Amino acid sequence: MDKKKRRFLMRSIILIVLFGAILFTVYTTLTKEKNEVLQIGDNAPNFTLVDMYGDKHNLEEYKGQGVFLNFWGTWCKPCEREFPIIDRYYKEYKEKGIQVLAINIAESDFVVQNYIDRKGLTFPVLIDKNKSVMEAYNINPLPTTILINSEGKIEKIITGEMKEQDIKSYMEQILPD
């Protein structure tokens, strides 16, 4: 086989592989299952996660209560500023039917437990190890807080840091009747 034929054959093979890669990328992008963006009034997607003490928390079990669902990371400075305030109001409102669930995004048990111990947090902290809950709720950026009313519907979606008066107001907003 002469040089021109080999060069033509190699170029043809490369073009076929590139064309196949482009087709595969287009196909996977078009057929990829996307989670719908959650809206106020939507049912909150159910999930089951385990807290740092090994207890399972299933969101549906909290129907009848208001749920303050907070997505966070140990490296997140706004999260660090919010937690003492959230914890203080959790202690005040838990007897009135408010549940705080803090969902850490895929960090190790050791890192999260160390953080909880240092901060003295009393509300349940869950770890979303495979990011399935984060994806179901389309969480980006951290912190993000989802307020869920006693019927299991989304009342409000807050992205970014909350101030003390906001946290208190949000907990009052989801108080069960």
Side-chain angles (χ1 to χ4, degrees):
M1 201 187 303
D2 69 344
K3 219 175 189 181
K4 282 186 176 182
K5 286 183 180 179
R6 267 190 286 167
R7 194 176 314 146
F8 176 76
L9 183 61
M10 288 303 291
R11 287 178 180 170
S12 298
I13 291 171
I14 291 170
L15 283 174
I16 290 170
V17 169
L18 286 173
F19 184 70
I22 290 169
L23 282 177
F24 176 76
T25 303
V26 169
Y27 173 77
T28 56
T29 301
L30 293 176
T31 60
K32 184 166 82 173
E33 190 176 313
K34 298 209 183 234
N35 292 329
E36 291 184 27
V37 174
L38 296 172
Q39 303 289 322
I40 293 171
D42 287 350
N43 287 322
N46 191 36
F47 61 84
T48 301
L49 290 174
V50 177
D51 69 16
M52 299 308 297
Y53 301 105
D55 298 326
K56 285 186 178 180
H57 294 264
N58 181 293
L59 184 63
E60 285 186 359
E61 292 174 1
Y62 294 105
K63 279 212 173 148
Q65 299 179 52
V67 177
F68 193 92
L69 191 61
N70 181 267
F71 292 86
W72 69 285
T74 60
W75 47 266
C76 169
K77 292 300 176 191
C79 303
E80 190 172 348
R81 290 188 292 268
E82 289 176 343
F83 272 173
I85 302 164
I86 293 171
D87 197 56
R88 186 172 58 233
Y89 285 116
Y90 168 67
K91 291 173 185 172
E92 180 180 331
Y93 284 94
K94 71 180 176 180
E95 298 302 320
K96 298 176 182 178
I98 297 294
Q99 182 60 263
V100 170
L101 297 175
I103 300 180
N104 176 274
I105 307 301
E107 293 184 83
S108 75
D109 290 4
F110 177 78
V111 169
V112 173
Q113 188 62 58
N114 189 27
Y115 187 89
I116 293 167
D117 293 344
R118 274 191 338 227
K119 301 296 178 187
L121 302 177
T122 60
F123 49 77
V125 175
L126 322 170
I127 300 179
D128 186 11
K129 292 189 185 291
N130 61 7
K131 300 183 180 181
S132 61
V133 179
M134 181 185 98
E135 290 170 5
Y137 280 82
N138 291 304
I139 299 303
N140 188 24
L142 295 181
T144 294
T145 302
I146 312 285
L147 303 181
I148 302 169
N149 67 24
S150 58
E151 287 85 41
K153 303 230 183 253
I154 295 174
E155 281 281 322
K156 189 165 186 66
I157 300 169
I158 305 111
T159 56
E161 185 174 357
M162 299 175 288
K163 301 295 181 210
E164 182 167 356
Q165 63 272 18
D166 299 328
I167 293 169
K168 182 176 183 184
S169 166
Y170 294 149
M171 287 196 182
E172 289 177 357
Q173 182 178 342
I174 56 173
L175 275 171
D177 296 329

